Amino acid sequence: MQNIGTQIRRGLTSIFSSRASRKQAGRAQDPAGTMETYRNPTEVQMSQLVLLCHTNHRGELSVGQLLKWIDITACLSAERHAGCSCVTASVDDIYFEHTIRTGQVVNIKAKVNRAFNSSMEVGIQVTSEDLCTETQWSVCKALATFVAQRDSSKVKLKQILPLTEEEKVEYSVAAERRRMRLVYTETIRDLLTKSIIQDDLESRDCSRMVPAEKTRVESVELVLPPHANHQGNTFGGQIMAWMENVATIAASRLCPAHPTLKTIEMFQFRGPSKVGDRLVLKAIVNNAFKNSMEVGVCVEAYRPEMESSPRHLNSAFMTFVVLDGDDQPITLPWIQPQGKEGERRYREASARKKMRLDRKYIVSCKQTEVPLSVPWDPSNQVYLSYNNVSSLKMLMARDAWVLTSEINKIKLYTLEDDKFLSFHMEMTVHTDTTQAFLLLSDLGRRPEWDKHYQRVELVQQVDEDDAIYHVISPVLGGAESKPQDFVILASRRKPCDGGHSPGLGPRESGSWESAQVAPVDVSPAGHWREPYVIALRSVTLPTYPEMPEYTRGENLCSGFCLWREGDQQTKVSYYNQATTSFLNYVTTNVAGLSSEFITTCKACEQFLLDNKSELALSLQNL
């Protein structure tokens, strides 16, 4: 046992030494330090000194003014990539972490994360600094979607080629974020249909209840030339600033105080407006919770001489708090919904609050800050699916993968960080990529080639792309006396680009595959290629509690990425972020003391070859 332990330590020392040597080699080849000064070609930066004219009654930068600056910076970044005019389509949720005061500096940085057909996602980071103390802090992050237009027609955009690890991560998860935006309305509807929103209106103190109609605000703005952008349309940042203004007034009517905006939930622009339009802005408090309230805002545009009915331009939901002298949120009065429309808004506000908590708990926070197995229920399935796929894509996009061994054309890569040892197996299989995707995404068939999946039961087919399984795994050896069981969420995604680029063929020698670092996948034409993804992670189900005959295992992040290499040829990559219970098995294979990794990969290859014609009819229908 002592000799085995020594060999494992030597194997891991070799891995980590290779990683350090590779970093040193990179620095030696770059004596001018050009890698350190790399700048994304779409990046735009803006710095603004906060003056009295930019602030509110508290001497803090007005959120409306900040939204104007954010929109300008993001638009300039989008136009730098598109080479033509761009309009704001939407802005995702914004959480304000810090306020900015008079005399401080706002720094805004924006860059295009990914381009789709005619739309693109722009990532924005806002920080502030105090020039006197030289301190800096984060204010907020935002994601905006812009559409490129030329002569009022949409423009097909060139694709982004991510280079740094950060760019690869943002590129990889942008498609999943886009998917979440598209199902947002459906998610709200499903939550209201399938969940019971609890309220205790009848038991509340009526003396502390404020009728919702008392908070209603309606304001009209005439769009003048100073409000138009360089394209002649009403400046999106100006519309958002007007929306923040009426929402603040509505919030202040719930209780006689000055509210502070904490969260904005998705601006959605439905169409443009121009100089001469009248914009009607409406706001009302939808629901009040203990220390926060949600205000709904909508914008309509009309021209008396041209239109008989107004056009819906934009809508958003904003969360406010009221702070005391110590900057702590005070307890707010309850809201009294009025009429069926008021009750609908009241219930939807509760649903959105739950969604915000799910996003903050599942999506926004770091992996190490949440339990490995997150509770699953229908209301958070969209966010768990997003987290599942994006976690695998982020692991795939890491730069520090080190080639540890290559046996029988199967490559083993490892990635070490402070908390996890991850591994990545890679091979090429002579089979259709879509067929391999369908076969490997069906966990019910995994026991046919993977002995670690002894028995698999389909618990629930959530939707076309997500399913939950109960997996029984045999004892791996060592001190374990009982087999393990897992409750696994399997999420699969087809690539937005179809999994290939025009003219894509087998890669030539001298490409990234001949290097020591894996998973940047770029076609000969210089396009980043998106894989087919099958992501796996543990979830918790009340109907499948821990059982005495098994040891409950946890899967943090694992799954397959598949790339089309040519006609009837697929590159299959398997990733796994090893948890503690799995670590001894991983290190034994990494150190070369076991060949089970290779044996399992060969079994997977044979399974795909044996079934390469089985799904031919299904593929014809795709």
Side-chain angles (χ1 to χ4, degrees):
M1 290 297 292
Q2 184 176 3
N3 291 335
I4 292 176
T6 302
Q7 291 180 57
I8 291 176
R9 287 193 295 274
R10 287 175 179 172
L12 292 177
T13 301
S14 175
I15 294 169
F16 305 148
S17 298
S18 298
R19 178 183 176 192
S21 298
R22 182 171 54 82
K23 288 184 176 180
Q24 292 174 359
R27 286 194 291 268
Q29 294 170 6
D30 184 41
T34 54
M35 292 177 63
E36 298 297 331
T37 59
Y38 163 77
R39 182 169 177 176
N40 187 294
T42 69
E43 183 180 302
V44 171
Q45 296 185 23
M46 174 189 287
S47 294
Q48 294 281 355
L49 181 64
V50 178
L51 305 176
L52 286 173
C53 60
H54 301 140
T55 60
N56 58 21
H57 62 283
R58 295 167 63 98
E60 299 168 349
L61 174 64
S62 163
V63 173
Q65 180 62 61
L66 179 59
L67 291 172
K68 289 183 184 180
W69 289 337
I70 286 175
D71 192 56
I72 291 173
T73 313
C75 183
L76 293 176
S77 174
E79 292 184 346
R80 175 171 284 185
H81 176 68
C84 62
S85 298
C86 295
V87 296
T88 312
S90 66
V91 180
D92 286 5
D93 300 1
I94 304 177
Y95 296 87
F96 296 99
E97 304 171 20
H98 204 285
T99 57
I100 309 169
R101 305 194 68 82
T102 307
Q104 295 174 343
V105 173
V106 180
N107 298 307
I108 305 172
K109 183 188 296 185
K111 63 181 178 64
V112 178
N113 291 332
R114 181 167 183 172
F116 298 97
N117 289 325
S118 60
S119 68
M120 67 199 96
E121 179 189 276
V122 179
I124 305 120
Q125 291 184 322
V126 182
T127 60
S128 58
E129 61 177 312
D130 190 312
L131 298 176
C132 298
T133 62
E134 297 185 349
T135 56
Q136 298 187 17
W137 54 89
S138 173
V139 176
C140 66
K141 295 181 180 180
L143 294 164
T145 302
F146 283 81
V147 175
Q149 292 185 332
R150 183 180 288 118
D151 300 327
S152 300
S153 299
K154 291 184 178 180
V155 176
K156 186 171 179 61
L157 295 167
K158 61 184 177 183
Q159 295 303 301
I160 292 286
L161 178 61
L163 298 179
T164 68
E165 180 177 316
E166 178 188 358
E167 291 173 1
K168 294 168 198 168
V169 168
E170 295 296 344
Y171 182 99
S172 295
V173 299
E176 197 63 19
R177 286 193 289 252
R178 183 170 182 254
R179 174 189 174 98
M180 272 211 308
R181 294 182 194 109
L182 295 176
V183 301
Y184 175 81
T185 303
E186 182 182 344
T187 304
I188 283 282
R189 183 172 60 249
D190 289 347
L191 179 58
L192 290 170
T193 302
K194 298 175 182 178
S195 302
I196 299 175
I197 305 298
Q198 301 288 343
D199 63 67
D200 54 351
L201 287 173
E202 296 182 357
S203 63
R204 290 179 178 174
D205 182 2
C206 293
S207 64
R208 294 191 64 250
M209 297 185 74
V210 176
E213 288 300 316
K214 182 181 177 181
T215 69
R216 184 181 294 277
V217 178
E218 181 172 317
S219 179
V220 64
E221 298 284 353
L222 175 62
V223 180
L224 300 173
H227 303 139
N229 59 20
H230 54 299
Q231 306 157 31
N233 296 323
T234 312
F235 176 39
Q238 179 63 69
I239 294 176
M240 291 189 286
W242 283 334
M243 293 174 72
E244 186 267 339
N245 180 60
V246 295
T248 302
I249 296 172
S252 65
R253 288 182 176 176
L254 181 67
C255 59
H258 296 293
T260 298
L261 181 59
K262 299 298 289 184
T263 304
I264 298 175
E265 185 168 319
M266 196 178 294
F267 289 107
Q268 295 178 301
F269 288 88
R270 314 281 179 166
S273 68
K274 295 184 177 296
V275 173
D277 281 349
R278 280 74 165 172
L279 302 189
V280 179
L281 299 102
K282 301 176 182 179
I284 191 171
V285 177
N286 292 329
N287 201 339
F289 308 100
K290 183 177 181 182
N291 300 117
S292 65
M293 68 184 95
E294 182 197 271
V295 179
V297 195
C298 71
V299 185
E300 296 175 335
Y302 73 96
R303 289 200 173 198
E305 70 279 11
M306 298 175 59
E307 298 170 308
S308 57
S309 59
R311 292 170 280 124
H312 183 198
L313 283 191
N314 202 336
S315 58
F317 301 96
M318 305 186 186
T319 302
F320 289 85
V321 298
V322 176
L323 303 176
D324 61 18
D326 298 321
D327 283 341
Q328 296 301 311
I330 67 170
T331 301
L332 299 175
W334 302 114
I335 200 77
Q336 174 64 59
Q338 295 173 294
K340 290 185 177 180
E341 184 67 14
E343 291 178 1
R344 179 190 64 81
R345 293 195 304 267
Y346 183 90
R347 294 183 70 248
E348 288 183 354
S350 296
R352 278 187 293 270
K353 181 182 180 184
K354 189 204 183 303
M355 290 174 62
R356 282 192 293 272
L357 291 173
D358 286 340
R359 284 199 295 269
K360 186 175 182 180
Y361 180 61
I362 298 171
V363 176
S364 302
C365 57
K366 298 178 182 178
Q367 287 282 341
T368 54
E369 294 175 356
V370 298
L372 300 187
S373 295
V374 178
W376 184 93
D377 64 63
S379 66
N380 68 14
Q381 71 180 58
V382 172
Y383 306 112
L384 271 175
S385 178
Y386 166 88
N387 176 275
N388 195 13
V389 175
S390 61
S391 296
L392 181 60
K393 286 186 172 183
M394 291 167 67
L395 182 63
M396 175 199 73
R398 295 283 296 275
D399 272 342
W401 289 100
V402 176
L403 179 61
T404 303
S405 64
E406 183 174 0
I407 302 174
N408 297 328
K409 296 183 179 180
I410 299 174
K411 298 179 180 179
L412 170 62
Y413 297 87
T414 55
L415 172 67
E416 179 266 341
D417 57 30
D418 292 338
K419 294 183 178 294
F420 300 103
L421 173 65
S422 304
F423 69 91
H424 159 211
M425 306 294 297
E426 179 181 295
M427 63 181 175
T428 299
V429 180
H430 295 281
T431 187
D432 181 84
T433 307
T434 309
Q435 181 159 311
F437 173 68
L438 294 175
L439 287 168
L440 293 176
S441 62
D442 182 2
L443 260 63
R445 300 200 63 178
R446 189 153 171 176
E448 296 180 35
W449 59 270
D450 188 351
K451 71 175 187 178
H452 302 103
Y453 278 58
Q454 190 174 61
R455 191 168 71 251
V456 178
E457 173 193 359
L458 176 63
V459 175
Q460 182 176 350
Q461 187 69 47
V462 179
D463 55 33
E464 181 182 355
D465 293 321
D466 295 271
I468 299 176
Y469 296 88
H470 184 225
V471 178
I472 306 299
S473 178
V475 178
L476 288 176
E480 287 290 338
S481 59
K482 296 187 294 185
Q484 287 188 311
D485 74 328
F486 301 81
V487 180
I488 298 292
L489 171 66
S491 305
R492 66 180 189 178
R493 298 288 187 273
K494 298 176 184 177
C496 294
D497 59 5
H500 57 83
S501 299
L504 177 63
R507 286 193 293 268
E508 301 173 354
S509 61
S511 68
W512 65 267
E513 256 189 282
S514 62
Q516 293 294 303
V517 181
V520 180
D521 207 343
V522 182
S523 75
H527 298 291
W528 170 275
R529 296 195 300 150
E530 191 175 21
Y532 290 78
V533 172
I534 304 163
L536 310 174
R537 71 153 298 150
S538 288
V539 293
T540 299
L541 279 178
T543 52
Y544 279 79
E546 295 187 29
M547 294 178 280
E549 62 268 32
Y550 300 115
T551 300
R552 176 56 54 90
E554 292 185 306
N555 184 334
L556 176 60
C557 176
S558 67
F560 294 91
C561 293
L562 312 176
W563 286 272
R564 194 185 305 277
E565 294 289 276
D567 186 30
Q568 296 294 310
Q569 192 163 306
T570 301
K571 187 181 79 174
V572 179
S573 290
Y574 175 75
Y575 296 84
N576 193 303
Q577 195 169 34
T579 53
T580 305
S581 60
F582 199 50
L583 190 58
N584 183 58
Y585 172 73
V586 173
T587 54
T588 302
N589 277 269
V590 167
L593 301 176
S594 172
S595 60
E596 286 195 44
F597 276 5
I598 304 298
T599 302
T600 304
C601 281
K602 297 301 290 185
C604 177
E605 179 183 16
Q606 193 61 49
F607 167 74
L608 294 176
L609 294 174
D610 291 344
N611 295 278
K612 65 187 305 180
S613 60
E614 178 181 322
L615 302 177
L617 182 61
S618 300
L619 294 177
Q620 292 175 7
N621 296 328
L622 289 177

